[in-house]
């Protein structure tokens, strides 16, 4: 019931309603029974649509990233939707470079999607390379330059770069050096 109410708010259209819907959805996932998580995962397209619709709204992006991270943590995002989710997170971080909270939450959610699930999953490698194709390393480097005095942001950025290099291999490592992401960390 709580998930449906939150999804209705997501469909409301305004940034405030979307933010409230995302907060409610996150709470329902964290506190509700497994059925709530399953319903939320089945409705992931609504979350992604809200993130796309309100790309420049830092509150929507922050709560959307937190919701996606929780769904990744519970392995509740199907692999085909994980690509769309990672694209949305990279886009949200890019569009809100000045908003340090958005950066931290997006980087944390992206790192989470690379660390959950079974070890040696081919999806992890493909997701890391997909993040690379979405220009994630450049976003990380820009964010580090803007927020270099924030230890928590640097920690999130370093964790994400490490996860991407570990899972993506040589191509990701080369890109991390070329964009300056590794030098800045």
């Amino acid at each position: 019931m709580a998930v449906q109410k939150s999804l209705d708010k997501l469909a409301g259209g305004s940034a405030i309603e979307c933010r409230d819907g995302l907060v409610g959805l996150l709470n329902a996932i964290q506190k509700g029974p497994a059925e709530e998580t399953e319903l939320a995962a089945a409705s992931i397209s609504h979350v992604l649509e809200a993130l796309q619709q309100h790309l420049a709204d830092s509150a929507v992006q922050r709560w959307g990233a937190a919701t996606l991270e929780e769904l990744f943590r519970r392995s509740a995002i199907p692999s085909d939707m994980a690509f769309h989710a990672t694209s949305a997170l990279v886009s949200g971080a890019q569009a809100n470079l000045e908003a340090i909270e958005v950066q931290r939450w997006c980087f944390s959610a992206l790192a989470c999607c690379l660390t959950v699930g079974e070890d040696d999953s081919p999806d992890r490698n493909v997701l890391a390379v997909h993040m690379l194709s979405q220009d994630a390393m450049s976003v990380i480097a820009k964010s580090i330059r803007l927020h270099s005095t924030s230890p928590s942001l640097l920690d999130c950025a370093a964790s994400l770069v490490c996860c991407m290099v570990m899972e993506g291999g040589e191509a990701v490592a080369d890109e991390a050096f070329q964009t300056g992401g590794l030098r800045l960390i």
Side-chain angles (χ1 to χ4, degrees), residues 10 13-15 18-19 22 44-65 68 81 83-93 95-96 106 134:
L10 278 178
S14 77
C18 282
R19 182 210 55 212
L22 289 165
I44 190 73
S45 62
H46 298 291
V47 174
L48 298 177
E49 187 177 316
L51 290 174
Q52 185 178 35
Q53 184 178 5
H54 299 287
L55 190 60
D57 188 283
S58 61
V60 170
Q61 296 301 314
R62 181 251 188 261
W63 287 103
L68 290 175
M81 291 305 290
F83 292 99
H84 298 294
T86 56
S87 295
L89 289 164
V90 172
S91 294
N96 293 276
C106 287
Q134 298 296 305

Side-chain angles (χ1 to χ4, degrees), residues 104-162:
R104 284 195 291 247
W105 279 99
C106 287
F107 293 168
S108 180
L110 288 165
C112 184
C113 84
L114 292 173
T115 58
V116 297
E118 296 182 28
D119 290 339
D120 302 328
S121 169
D123 287 346
R124 287 181 180 180
N125 175 271
V126 175
L127 280 172
V129 173
H130 176 70
M131 287 179 205
L132 188 64
S133 75
Q134 298 296 305
D135 212 19
M137 283 295 176
S138 293
V139 173
I140 294 166
K142 289 175 191 174
S143 181
I144 291 171
R145 284 185 193 102
L146 280 171
H147 306 291
S148 62
T149 60
S150 170
S152 60
L153 177 93
L154 294 175
D155 183 50
C156 289
S159 295
L160 176 54
V161 170
C162 289

Side-chain angles (χ1 to χ4, degrees), residues 64-76:
T67 301
L68 290 175
E69 181 174 354
E70 189 64 28
L71 288 169
F72 279 130
R73 193 174 310 288
R74 294 169 184 261
S75 299

